[in-house]
Amino acid sequence: MSSSNHFDAVVIGGGPGGLTAAAHLAGRGLTVALVEDRLVGGECHYWACNPTKALIRPIEVLELARAVPGVREILGSDGVDVEAVFAKRDVIIDHLQDHDMVAALTEAGIEVLHGRGRLDGERTVVVVDAEGGERRLHAERAVILATGTRPLLPDVDGLTSASPWTNRDLATMTRVPGRTIVLGGGVVGVECATILSGLGSAVTLVVRGSTLLRGSEPFAGARVARALRDRGVDIRFATQLTSVERDARGGICASTGDSLVEADEILVATGRSVNTEDLALETIGLPGEGFVAVDDHLTAIGVDGEWLYAIGDTTGRALLSHVSQYHAGIVADVVAARAEGILQNGSESMARDTGRLAQVIFTSPQVVEVGLTEAAAREAGFTVTTRTATYPGELGQLLILRDGFDAEGKLVIDADRDTLLGATFVGPDVADLVQAATVAVVGEVPLSVLRHVIAPHPSLSQIWNPLVTGG
Ligand SMILES: Cc1cc2nc3c(=O)[nH]c(=O)nc-3n(C[C@H](O)[C@H](O)[C@H](O)COP(=O)(O)OP(=O)(O)OC[C@H]3O[C@@H](n4cnc5c(N)ncnc54)[C@H](O)[C@@H]3O)c2cc1C
């Protein structure tokens, strides 16, 4: 640990990206300060990925149990035990404290500073703590911006003063609202609608467009919409809120212009704002807000001297925790290699995340998407063929996994090279298929080879069979 205010690297933001970058850099022998103004672990650990998955897991397991003869007969008609679900969630999010994470980072030689970080010219970071105390840090080799995003509230009359919920309120809720309006049909909106309806809230999902999961393969949004409706969610497509009001009894009244929707809470899931407007980026000649543009070495574009980097959500390249952590490894390689004067434009220290990312959408059924959709591949100029399959179809043995097994898969193929550009699966537990699809896409494995990747019987992996044999 450095005993002064001089470090090799200063990382601003202690989410999955920032803390992983700090750990990698310290592991390479650099002196590192990590600046975090809330809790080390970031949005992902306390208010996003981890608590939402802790909330959805019991819902999935109960559904699975109800679909398995021999188990469903011993279940009662009750839903999940909400108090027990919250208790497990609280353990997962470390009861909203970061002592253990800070201790582990400190043990690794990293100086953790709780406070708000901002730039003040080249290689200089000012940290202001909760009491207003200031510390001025000098970063010899790198400042890494990993400040992430926060919920974006749309401009709807009365919405802000109605104290809407965001993902943060959902992630830490201690009661389930009787009725909830969820605003937004993207990934966060559908995950929140799945959780709330699964825990017993009557959900109205308000969606501006005509589909869920815009940007995914259309069948994914259609299947998730069908599943949400089956569990009682009222989905209002092509609907915009014109005003929101919290009444004297604490309830929510939202107007769509021609109708009113009443609820106990409204949850907004309409996008994210990047946390850069307080970073004083203008002191180094960058725009004062918005995503920080980086090259594939994750080095900020438009700043001389190769000392400023950005990773994860802050770059806008993809808003996914695993991408932030991937960037963290790359940026540590780049900083360490530059420190030793050995950075080459080689592939190992360049982010190769474009067009080949994997994402799981934790609805019920789950959605897995890797690489490009058919529409995106055509737009990118590929000559595309596709293969699709629905299940169980001829794979009746999938009914071993659960009664009513119902899934769909699609491959997007580069017809010129016979390789996979993308894959989408929708169905129960399909998250387990994600890495096989990712290896196939990233490894550009020819379909003629995938044909000989033999999936064990009986397993979910056999979902690949009708797709790779074309049969
Ligand atoms: C409801 C929800 C569910 C999600 N589920 C998943 C999922 O299942 N899987 C997945 O991969 N992704 C998921 N995501 C996305 C995931 O949360 C983000 O991609 C991830 O948190 C990004 O990590 P990060 O390190 O880039 O930023 P963050 O996790 O946002 O961390 C940034 C940190 O920087 C701090 N900070 C900001 N400004 C300053 C400053 N000036 N000084 C000091 N500190 C500062 C913040 O307090 C924060 O702790 C989900 C998102 C939401 C909203």
Side-chain angles (χ1 to χ4, degrees), residues 231-365:
R231 65 178 61 207
V233 174
D234 175 6
I235 307 180
R236 311 262 180 105
F237 285 117
T239 302
Q240 297 207 49
L241 296 188
T242 52
S243 68
V244 176
E245 197 180 302
R246 196 173 281 276
D247 64 28
R249 284 173 296 122
I252 291 286
C253 186
S255 171
T256 64
D258 51 12
S259 69
L260 291 178
V261 187
E262 294 190 339
D264 301 295
E265 297 295 347
I266 179 166
L267 185 152
V268 179
T270 49
R272 312 286 297 173
S273 289
V274 63
N275 297 322
T276 49
E277 72 281 7
D278 291 343
L279 288 176
L281 292 168
E282 60 283 357
T283 66
I284 50 156
L286 289 182
E289 58 184 16
F291 293 115
V292 177
V294 292
D295 62 19
D296 285 342
H297 289 310
L298 303 172
T299 310
I301 294 170
V303 178
D304 291 338
E306 297 177 336
W307 62 273
L308 187 69
Y309 301 82
I311 60 172
D313 280 21
T314 311
T315 66
R317 285 166 80 116
L319 306 189
L320 290 165
S321 184
H322 44 278
V323 175
S324 297
Q325 289 176 296
Y326 168 73
H327 283 177
I330 299 284
V331 86
D333 283 350
V334 171
V335 172
R338 281 193 173 136
E340 291 172 33
I342 55 167
L343 183 69
Q344 294 167 351
N345 270 345
S347 57
E348 287 316 307
S349 54
M350 296 180 82
R352 289 195 275 164
D353 49 2
T354 308
R356 40 174 68 201
L357 291 175
Q359 173 168 23
V360 178
I361 302 169
F362 289 89
T363 41
S364 184

Side-chain angles (χ1 to χ4, degrees), residues 11-19 34-53 113-118 126-127 145-151 166-168 170-171 187-189 191-192 195 271-272 275-276 278-279 311-315 318-325 358-362:
V11 182
I12 308 180
L19 76 87
L34 176 65
V35 185
E36 167 57 52
D37 72 338
R38 290 187 298 161
L39 293 172
V40 172
E43 189 80 2
C44 173
H45 186 60
Y46 304 97
W47 297 284
C49 331
N50 298 353
T52 54
K53 271 79 256 184
L113 288 86
H114 277 109
R116 197 144 188 84
R118 65 175 151 77
V126 174
V127 183
L145 306 177
T147 48
T149 63
R150 63 183 184 281
T166 67
N167 63 288
R168 294 180 183 173
L170 177 101
V187 175
V188 175
E191 286 193 1
C192 291
I195 291 167
R272 312 286 297 173
N275 297 322
T276 49
D278 291 343
L279 288 176
I311 60 172
D313 280 21
T314 311
T315 66
L319 306 189
L320 290 165
S321 184
H322 44 278
V323 175
S324 297
Q325 289 176 296
Q359 173 168 23
V360 178
I361 302 169
F362 289 89

